[in-house]
Amino acid sequence: MSVLELVDVTAGYGEGADILHNVSLKLDPGEIVSIVGPNGAGKSTAMKAIFGLLVMHGGKITMGSHDITGMPPEEVVGKGVGFVPQTDNVFPNLSVEENLEMGAFTYDGPLEGRLKNVYELFPPLLEKRNQAAGTLSGGQRQMVAMGRALMLEPQVLMLDEPTAGLSPKYAQEIFELVIQVNASGTPVLMVEQNARQALAISHRGYVLVDGQNRHEGSGPELIADREVAEMFLGG
Amino acid sequence: MGDLLLFINFYLIPGIVLGSIYALGAIGVSMVFGILRFAHFAHGDMMTLGAFIAFSAIGWLGVGPILALPFAMIGTIVVTLGIDRVFYKPLREKSTIIVVIASFGVALMLRSLIMVVWGVNTETYSSGISMPLVFLDSFRIAERHIWMMAITIAAMLGIHWTLSKTRIGKAMRAVSDSPELSRLAGISTEKVVQATWIIGAGLAAIGGVFIAWDSQIHANAGWDLILPIFAAAILGGIGKAYGAMAGGMVIGIAEEVSSYPWLGDGPLLSPGYKTGIAFAIMVIMLIWRPSGLFRGRVY
Amino acid sequence: MSDQMIGYSSYLITLLTMVAIYGVMGLGLNLNWGVTGLFNVGIAGFFAIGAYTAAILTTEETGKHIGGFDMPFWVGAIAAMITSAILAWFVGKICIRLRSDYLAIATIGIAEILRLILKNEMWATNGARGISNIPKPFESLGGLAGPLAFLALVVGILIVVYVLLEKGQHSPWGRIMRAIRDNELAARASGKNVERLRLEAFIIGSSIMGLGGALSAHYFKFIGLEATEPLLTTFLIWVMMIVGGSGNNRGVLLGALIIWSLWSMSEMVIQAFSLTGEFAVRVPYMRMFIIGLVLNIVLQKYGQGILPERHPGGKDAQPKR
């Protein structure tokens, strides 16, 4: 069974026109899946739909056997979806460790083990644990943001354009972090602008255009696809 | 008596006491602004409420102001949580400015209830004049002032501990930093809001009791406090608890010290204009640095 | 006419005169908040400066306060608008660019500072004793005719203010104001000088409040500190606007009628119980409670007031605030 699945989702903001039209996609255990596509294709909108931030006009969203269609964000988090938004994804005035602790706010058990796991995954955070997150570099902030989302040991980690605004070198570092997180056993669903790099590390990918599914396939397949390449991979 | 001692005994110490009172109000205002995102204009009336609850506790139980403090705090906290539930929570999803207007309504209601329950006379906790303690022959300080400063320091340490060590305190700072991310992290906003009111109301009650204990209390006192405590919150930086403490202290001391005869024999500023100091400081901050000394938020 | 009839008529004239004066100030507030979204909680300050300006200019010289200059009513009224406009310019310059909460604090502040000045500067204002013997237009007519003529004057001014504001609000200027209130970013993006336009609205609204202060001073023939207390001059007007329907001038006038009637009649009801002792002193303060409660009920249940703002040519009838 898929960890997360969208079936024929049609949705939009409030009274406005729908942005997603019959979008279907799924994430299987152990996978990294990327959603790519040109600007305004509805990539980030799809993530917001999962988080119940859109008005659904059709279709359904499931996690395993649970229907999470239209659930408010807090409950979606409770069902095991860790989400790292594109911007403002750390608490700048809280220390690194406090950021991580806030990720586990709903978890009442001891935090030591989970903190240890995150520090093992992202060693640079250990030495900066008492530093305010707002003072860190872009890459380290992404570590804090992902670490925060991982504190609940989620079933799925969702990343909204984790490399937006970063130089290619930093972007590559982030993608390596994604691989590490995935290797530790968490399936990852991410939306990316850097399509080529993202697909290169993904098991599968979806290409969305104008709010509709256009292509899907394995990462290498999509990179090799002539139409996909012409459309937005820059030739 | 030397000029310096005169200054300390009659200007600086009263200034620190007044500053403590302002700080106790300003911390709540600043935290409510940071976490609930609205200027709470009924905060001064919560302080008045605390002062009058303590007044009743003193009258009925014969306790002193210090033992009356827990009654004032619990009473004010209960009333405040009730106010939030009935008047502010239903407006949570609306624009925060609507809640600001609602808080003016709440201020009127609180003041009116205080007038109906406790009357419109000016009240004091004790009628006798207590002799100040004298140290080193000339340094004099009233016993109640020592108590007030000690309790204020204890309250500040308590706040510091709560915000930096407890899970709910950290969550309060998190919500103040970013409500959206808090929601995505699964932080229960309602719990954080309640904690904010409990702390804000508790401190307001202490501040209110201090006002009455130091001089006197009147049902309208809350209105007069609004300006200095907001000025203190802005001076310190909105959302910054430590900023609000410092801001309250600065404004309280500035108000008292402004009437010291710095130049010539008369007071530098007529005591009738003391309250104007808070306003002047606020205006200067708004022009020069709206984020406050501690770099809080500007909305 | 029987004595009873005269009594009723006189009460009605008093009521309507007060409603009209509050109506003028309500219209000023509506331009600030209802139309432009400026959170002015310092009505008492603009009221006070207007009232004292008019009082000082129109009274005869007394030696108890600065002036008086024995000038005609209309000079005082216009001067009241000018002084309150200058005060508004000063406040607006500082905090019009910040979020509404700051403007609220600053306007409260300026109102309180003004009260301090009025109290402390005895030579200019006669302090807590206030300025009396302010001439009341048409008073020499006597009987019911005098108050009736004064009512006509106030209503006439109210109508002029109303018509001018309606014209302004339906002009391009008014549409821009609403646009700024509902979507400031979009208004900025289209190259509007948002700060300047807001400042204009703030100054005009505040000067109308100053005019209200002048009318009140002439009506009571007296201005003192009590009249500038925020309860009567700030909150009551806010409640009138919210209850009537902020953004809608007619709604505000309806709100003034309803709330002032409620306020003045509740006084009579309380008197009718002829309470005695300490209780008699305290119960009247329940009126404040009722006003606060009405405000909160309207905010929760009828967010738009009795007469909601009309949005010509827009389906999104909910102003985004």
Side-chain angles (χ1 to χ4, degrees):
Chain A
M1 200 188 302
S2 299
V3 203
L4 180 69
E5 188 162 11
L6 276 69
V7 184
D8 288 333
V9 169
T10 298
Y13 295 99
E15 300 293 300
D18 285 330
I19 296 173
L20 302 178
H21 306 278
N22 295 314
V23 169
S24 295
L25 52 88
K26 63 173 184 161
L27 177 69
D28 286 327
E31 280 190 316
I32 299 178
V33 169
S34 292
I35 307 173
V36 298
N39 273 331
K43 303 186 301 282
S44 294
T45 313
M47 285 208 160
K48 287 182 184 151
I50 297 171
F51 261 87
L53 297 170
L54 260 60
V55 180
M56 298 274 293
H57 291 127
K60 77 178 197 177
I61 302 170
T62 54
M63 276 192 69
S65 55
H66 299 283
D67 188 343
I68 61 163
T69 316
M71 247 184 210
E74 308 82 287
E75 287 180 40
V76 177
V77 173
K79 291 282 177 221
V81 179
F83 181 52
V84 179
Q86 183 184 337
T87 52
D88 298 323
N89 52 20
V90 298
F91 299 109
N93 289 309
L94 267 58
S95 71
V96 168
E97 186 147 311
E98 287 170 340
N99 264 274
L100 300 181
E101 285 174 30
M102 285 303 108
F105 186 82
T106 54
Y107 172 69
D108 286 326
L111 296 182
E112 286 76 16
R114 293 185 176 201
L115 284 171
K116 194 164 151 272
N117 290 343
V118 171
Y119 288 138
E120 273 172 14
L121 202 53
F122 306 126
L125 296 187
L126 184 58
E127 54 190 272
K128 307 219 164 180
R129 60 199 287 182
N130 293 321
Q131 200 169 320
T135 63
L136 301 179
S137 70
Q140 287 168 340
R141 275 180 190 230
Q142 280 294 350
M143 289 184 197
V144 174
M146 285 190 217
R148 194 217 81 235
L150 290 171
M151 284 296 286
L152 274 184
E153 302 192 339
Q155 312 278 310
V156 183
L157 182 65
M158 301 206 315
L159 308 173
D160 189 2
E161 304 207 10
T163 68
L166 295 179
S167 70
K169 177 172 158 280
Y170 277 120
Q172 195 52 46
E173 278 181 25
I174 301 292
F175 286 125
E176 274 155 26
L177 295 179
V178 173
I179 295 171
Q180 280 177 47
V181 169
N182 182 247
S184 72
T186 311
V188 178
L189 177 67
M190 65 177 166
V191 160
E192 255 304 333
Q193 267 322 334
N194 275 326
R196 190 183 293 276
Q197 278 174 293
L199 290 172
I201 65 156
S202 298
H203 299 95
R204 290 186 305 111
Y206 292 88
V207 180
L208 292 192
V209 178
D210 295 335
Q212 290 173 320
N213 287 75
R214 179 64 67 89
H215 296 280
E216 61 178 279
S218 73
E221 265 169 30
L222 287 176
I223 295 176
D225 188 295
R226 177 179 295 267
E227 196 192 342
V228 173
E230 278 178 1
M231 200 156 44
F232 64 92
L233 289 182
Chain B
M1 205 185 324
D3 275 356
L4 181 65
L5 277 167
L6 183 102
F7 175 75
I8 292 174
N9 290 345
F10 294 107
Y11 295 90
L12 189 61
I13 289 175
I16 293 172
V17 169
L18 188 63
S20 305
I21 292 167
Y22 289 165
L24 289 165
I27 294 170
V29 158
S30 191
M31 289 198 327
V32 169
F33 209 148
I35 289 166
L36 285 107
R37 298 283 192 276
F38 78 94
H40 185 228
F41 283 99
H43 214 82
D45 297 288
M46 280 159 48
M47 297 175 82
T48 321
L49 178 67
F52 275 106
I53 294 174
F55 176 73
S56 287
I58 291 166
W60 289 344
L61 307 173
V63 295
I66 295 169
L67 288 178
L69 265 182
F71 294 95
M73 290 170 73
I74 291 168
T76 310
I77 288 169
V78 169
V79 170
T80 306
L81 288 175
I83 287 170
D84 180 64
R85 182 73 193 72
V86 177
F87 295 110
Y88 300 150
K89 196 177 174 198
L91 300 172
R92 210 85 93 207
E93 297 299 316
K94 298 198 183 179
S95 157
T96 54
I97 209 74
I98 302 296
V99 196
V100 180
I101 301 173
S103 81
F104 278 111
V106 167
L108 289 185
M109 291 161 75
L110 260 180
R111 208 174 307 163
S112 149
L113 283 180
I114 290 169
M115 285 170 166
V116 171
V117 174
W118 284 284
V120 290
N121 297 326
T122 301
E123 306 284 3
T124 54
Y125 286 168
S126 61
S127 44
I129 295 168
S130 58
M131 293 307 282
L133 305 177
V134 180
F135 300 96
L136 305 170
D137 286 345
S138 50
F139 176 70
R140 40 184 69 218
I141 180 166
E143 197 183 324
R144 64 174 192 280
H145 286 166
I146 297 177
W147 275 110
M148 286 181 203
M149 290 181 210
I151 292 170
T152 304
I153 291 168
M156 308 260 164
L157 291 175
I159 295 290
H160 174 74
W161 180 79
T162 307
L163 290 179
S164 60
K165 298 285 183 240
T166 67
R167 182 182 279 201
I168 192 73
K170 291 173 194 173
M172 289 167 73
R173 285 162 54 218
V175 173
S176 186
D177 252 12
S178 170
E180 298 79 22
L181 186 59
S182 303
R183 222 177 149 200
L184 291 175
I187 295 173
S188 158
T189 317
E190 281 307 311
K191 269 189 203 161
V192 168
V193 165
Q194 283 173 7
T196 309
W197 284 123
I198 289 172
I199 294 174
L203 296 180
I206 299 175
V209 171
F210 284 3
I211 296 169
W213 191 9
D214 193 39
S215 53
Q216 55 195 31
I217 190 71
H218 182 270
N220 268 334
W223 179 254
D224 300 330
L225 287 164
I226 276 294
L227 194 54
I229 61 181
F230 271 98
I234 290 175
L235 176 60
I238 292 293
K240 302 280 178 186
Y242 311 118
M245 297 175 193
M249 236 5 124
V250 169
I251 288 179
I253 292 172
E255 279 191 13
E256 292 295 338
V257 165
S258 68
S259 48
Y260 182 76
W262 293 103
L263 306 167
D265 293 331
L268 181 69
L269 186 77
S270 152
Y273 283 116
K274 262 186 204 172
T275 334
I277 295 281
F279 183 72
I281 291 177
M282 187 177 79
V283 166
I284 292 166
M285 284 310 283
L286 287 179
I287 295 171
W288 172 58
R289 188 158 149 170
S291 59
L293 295 175
F294 284 61
R295 291 262 179 236
R297 277 165 184 272
V298 184
Y299 295 91
Chain C
M1 235 193 291
S2 70
D3 283 358
Q4 206 181 13
M5 278 300 288
I6 292 173
Y8 280 131
S9 310
S10 151
Y11 176 73
L12 194 63
I13 292 170
T14 307
L15 182 90
L16 290 177
T17 309
M18 287 306 290
V19 169
I21 293 173
Y22 272 112
V24 169
M25 292 193 280
L27 290 177
L29 177 63
N30 194 39
L31 176 62
N32 276 185
W33 170 252
V35 178
T36 321
L38 297 168
F39 206 139
N40 186 345
V41 211
I43 305 173
F46 300 105
F47 170 94
I49 198 157
Y52 274 88
T53 304
I56 286 165
L57 288 179
T58 59
T59 46
E60 286 170 17
E61 197 171 341
T62 62
K64 286 182 190 150
H65 56 85
I66 197 170
F69 299 98
D70 205 9
M71 287 182 175
F73 164 80
W74 60 270
V75 174
I78 290 171
M81 294 182 74
I82 293 171
T83 49
S84 43
I86 293 169
L87 182 68
W89 176 84
F90 168 74
V91 180
K93 260 295 182 205
I94 297 165
C95 44
I96 213 95
R97 71 206 145 86
L98 296 167
R99 204 180 94 153
S100 290
D101 306 58
Y102 290 89
L103 186 64
I105 300 161
T107 46
I108 286 180
I110 200 78
E112 291 304 303
I113 299 296
L114 265 175
R115 283 169 54 78
L116 282 185
I117 295 172
L118 296 175
K119 193 158 119 193
N120 286 300
E121 301 306 316
M122 305 279 289
W123 58 274
T125 63
N126 203 19
R129 263 164 294 172
I131 299 179
S132 48
N133 288 327
I134 302 169
K136 182 176 183 181
F138 308 117
E139 198 181 19
S140 55
L141 294 177
L144 279 180
L148 206 54
F150 187 81
L151 172 62
L153 172 71
V154 178
V155 170
I157 290 171
L158 177 68
I159 290 171
V160 170
V161 171
Y162 174 86
V163 168
L164 289 177
L165 283 176
E166 281 287 312
K167 274 211 157 117
Q169 284 163 29
H170 291 101
S171 71
W173 185 82
R175 280 195 292 277
I176 295 169
M177 290 302 172
R178 284 186 156 82
I180 292 172
R181 182 197 65 189
D182 293 342
N183 191 341
E184 188 184 329
L185 272 179
R188 263 181 213 284
S190 60
K192 301 285 182 286
N193 187 342
V194 171
E195 255 104 70
R196 197 195 146 80
L197 287 161
R198 273 187 171 160
L199 191 59
E200 283 171 15
F202 186 66
I203 290 173
I204 296 170
S206 304
S207 75
I208 295 171
M209 295 167 193
L211 176 64
L215 293 176
S216 169
H218 286 288
Y219 177 62
F220 288 108
K221 304 175 64 182
F222 171 78
I223 181 70
L225 277 180
E226 295 80 29
T228 64
E229 270 184 12
L231 170 66
L232 281 170
T233 28
T234 299
F235 294 130
L236 225 44
I237 298 167
W238 262 93
V239 176
M240 287 166 180
M241 182 189 66
I242 298 284
V243 170
S246 69
N248 183 331
N249 286 329
R250 273 183 232 179
V252 173
L253 297 183
L254 181 65
L257 180 67
I258 292 171
I259 296 298
W260 185 256
S261 305
L262 190 70
W263 184 257
S264 74
M265 284 176 193
S266 63
E267 188 179 20
M268 294 200 304
V269 171
I270 289 164
Q271 279 171 358
F273 282 108
S274 53
L275 300 160
T276 50
E278 176 67 14
F279 213 52
V281 182
R282 294 181 187 185
V283 164
Y285 293 99
M286 282 306 283
R287 289 204 291 174
M288 256 164 70
F289 185 86
I290 294 165
I291 290 293
L293 190 63
V294 166
L295 177 66
N296 271 293
I297 290 172
V298 170
L299 286 178
Q300 280 187 28
K301 307 283 179 205
Y302 316 94
Q304 307 242 4
I306 300 169
L307 291 181
E309 184 178 0
R310 287 158 299 165
H311 283 259
K315 65 168 187 172
D316 53 335
Q318 295 280 335
K320 292 182 192 74
R321 252 183 284 159

